[in-house]
Amino acid sequence: IIMIKKIVDLVNGEIGCEVETENKYTNSIEFVNWCMIEAFGEEKAKELVCQPNKELAKQCCFSAKYYKNNAQYYSMPKTGDQVFFKNDKKELVRTGIVTNVDENNIYTVEVIDNVVCAPMYAKNDYAIAGYGRPNYEELSEEEVIDNEEDKDIVLAPLSHDRSQAIKGENDNEIDN
């Protein structure tokens, strides 16, 4: 739970930032990568989002493929997931972090029109392609707790039910 809280707090702190003036990230995939690195460090960030050792993905299609290859790509969202959006051609075009889920909606933080925004979507929104689920449970307490205010939060295991995982073959298309 603490790992998810850490990433959600971080992305929420970026709401309203303009990407052209902040120079931390220039698009949605760089935003997610930057947030993961800020929260967990580069090495752990790569592990969490199933990235190869060289560098973090620079395109949504590759990032989604890495999750799929590790059976960590889902059709139903959870807080802390990386959400992927598709266009009418089913090409992955944008990504963000799920900050909350309720019965009918998901709430995200993502880059839209060069500004970090916090939109809400219906769970069945056509534009949602799927969800990459970082393996937050892989982090040890020492790797996650880095300030005094987090030390009293109890770590709880995250359910990692892979029965809903989506498997895909194509690099940049999702058949939903």
Side-chain angles (χ1 to χ4, degrees), residues 18-53:
E18 295 183 25
V19 297
E20 295 158 346
T21 58
E22 296 298 325
N23 293 324
K24 301 175 203 172
Y25 36 79
T26 60
N27 58 40
S28 66
I29 190 72
E30 286 182 9
F31 169 70
V32 170
N33 291 343
W34 179 85
C35 290
M36 295 301 283
I37 290 169
E38 283 295 301
F40 308 112
E42 188 170 351
E43 187 176 320
K44 278 295 171 194
K46 288 178 187 178
E47 287 178 34
L48 288 170
V49 296
C50 307
Q51 302 285 322
N53 289 331

Side-chain angles (χ1 to χ4, degrees), residues 152-164:
D152 61 346
I153 296 173
V154 177
L155 292 175
L158 178 69
S159 170
H160 223 53
D161 178 11
R162 295 177 188 248
S163 63
Q164 293 180 7

Side-chain angles (χ1 to χ4, degrees), residues 159-173:
S159 170
H160 223 53
D161 178 11
R162 295 177 188 248
S163 63
Q164 293 180 7
I166 301 171
K167 297 192 185 216
E169 300 297 321
N170 196 317
D171 285 355
N172 68 348
E173 291 184 2

